Amino acid sequence: ILSQLTPDDKKFEGEIWVYNAVEDQVKPTQISELRLNNTPYELRGWCQSESEWSRLRMDVHGGCVPTPPDIFRKRMQRMRFTHRNDAEQVFLLQEKVFRDKCSRTSHLQLQELSADDLECLHGALQHYIQLECIVVNGNALKGQDAVAMLTSGAMDIQMESCSLQDADADAMAEALLSSASDRLEHLSLTGNRFSDVGTAALRKVMEQRPQLKIRW
């Protein structure tokens, strides 16, 4: 990301195509006439919108969780647009791309999730109507995060080495006995921090759902 203009002693004569706000069009502009945009990159409305759309175009790896439209709209309130406020247009485009992406995604492999990523994931999971598999191995999760995965409608879920403990196992057991997790067939929980208390809760689930395969 370039935050400064080219130094004067490095500039050369010529023109480039730049949006002209007065004439409301893109037109050839002398390089010498360019002026620095002092708005930090992370606060530029279109830049952050384009970054979000890039995330939506990729498979979800390395924490690139698509932002649900309501959260995106909230976060964009502090953004600035250089020439005019295109916020509503941005919101509509982001929602369209988000829903299209989620409706076609069947596998999620998520790594290095931050607190913000997990917030987005909680809101996004309900939109993944074709979801079959979730892999979140190695992420530090809490009971509420695990429950969100279990009730997502996915058939195969891996939450290995996620620092889950006995209290989380109790919350998961309750979710696993609800109709919201009916589609789940395989659940891998190896490498977590369950004692005999936690594993007992999971064993009870397997007794009531013998078709569900759980590993810990």
Side-chain angles (χ1 to χ4, degrees):
I1 299 170
L2 299 178
S3 59
Q4 297 181 342
L5 292 180
T6 304
D8 290 336
D9 62 340
K10 301 294 184 182
K11 290 182 180 178
F12 58 88
E13 295 298 323
E15 295 180 334
I16 59 174
W17 290 83
V18 175
Y19 174 73
N20 185 294
V22 176
E23 300 182 28
D24 193 26
Q25 63 175 320
V26 177
K27 59 179 293 185
T29 303
Q30 289 290 328
I31 293 176
S32 59
E33 297 177 7
L34 296 179
R35 297 293 178 266
L36 177 65
N37 179 354
N38 290 309
T39 301
Y41 182 85
E42 62 273 13
L43 293 180
R44 297 180 189 178
W46 275 108
C47 292
Q48 294 309 305
S49 303
E50 290 160 1
S51 175
E52 170 68 15
W53 293 329
S54 290
R55 290 157 67 96
L56 287 166
R57 288 169 51 198
M58 299 183 294
D59 291 332
V60 185
H61 292 277
C64 293
V65 180
T67 309
D70 57 332
I71 297 178
F72 180 78
R73 183 180 287 264
K74 179 180 178 181
R75 292 180 179 177
M76 285 293 289
Q77 295 304 317
R78 66 190 187 97
M79 297 296 148
R80 307 171 196 165
F81 292 87
T82 303
H83 299 295
R84 60 182 183 274
N85 192 341
D86 293 324
E88 195 58 39
Q89 180 182 0
V90 166
F91 296 151
L92 292 174
L93 287 171
Q94 189 271 343
E95 181 171 2
K96 179 178 183 297
V97 178
F98 171 86
R99 295 191 183 281
D100 178 67
K101 173 70 174 181
C102 290
S103 68
R104 293 185 289 105
T105 298
S106 60
H107 290 69
L108 294 177
Q109 182 172 340
L110 309 172
Q111 303 169 1
E112 301 175 3
L113 295 176
S114 66
D116 285 344
D117 292 325
L118 286 170
E119 178 190 10
C120 288
L121 184 60
H122 279 250
L125 282 173
Q126 62 183 307
H127 299 284
Y128 285 92
I129 57 178
Q130 303 293 334
L131 196 57
E132 296 178 5
C133 178
I134 301 176
V135 180
V136 288
N137 299 337
N139 291 286
L141 303 179
K142 297 180 180 179
Q144 61 187 12
D145 305 318
V147 169
M149 313 287 177
L150 298 177
T151 57
S152 67
M155 294 181 288
D156 186 339
I157 299 176
Q158 298 178 35
M159 291 188 283
E160 301 173 2
S161 301
C162 291
S163 302
L164 295 169
Q165 303 183 43
D166 289 342
D168 305 318
D170 288 338
M172 293 166 61
E174 183 177 349
L176 288 168
L177 293 175
S178 72
S179 59
S181 64
D182 280 351
R183 294 186 70 235
L184 184 62
E185 298 176 357
H186 299 93
L187 174 61
S188 182
L189 298 169
T190 61
N192 285 293
R193 300 173 180 174
F194 304 134
S195 70
D196 291 343
V197 174
T199 57
L202 297 173
R203 289 184 193 279
K204 289 182 180 179
V205 172
M206 294 181 67
E207 291 172 1
Q208 297 184 53
R209 290 186 61 180
Q211 78 284 3
L212 175 60
K213 308 301 181 185
I214 306 177
R215 295 188 302 126
W216 60 78

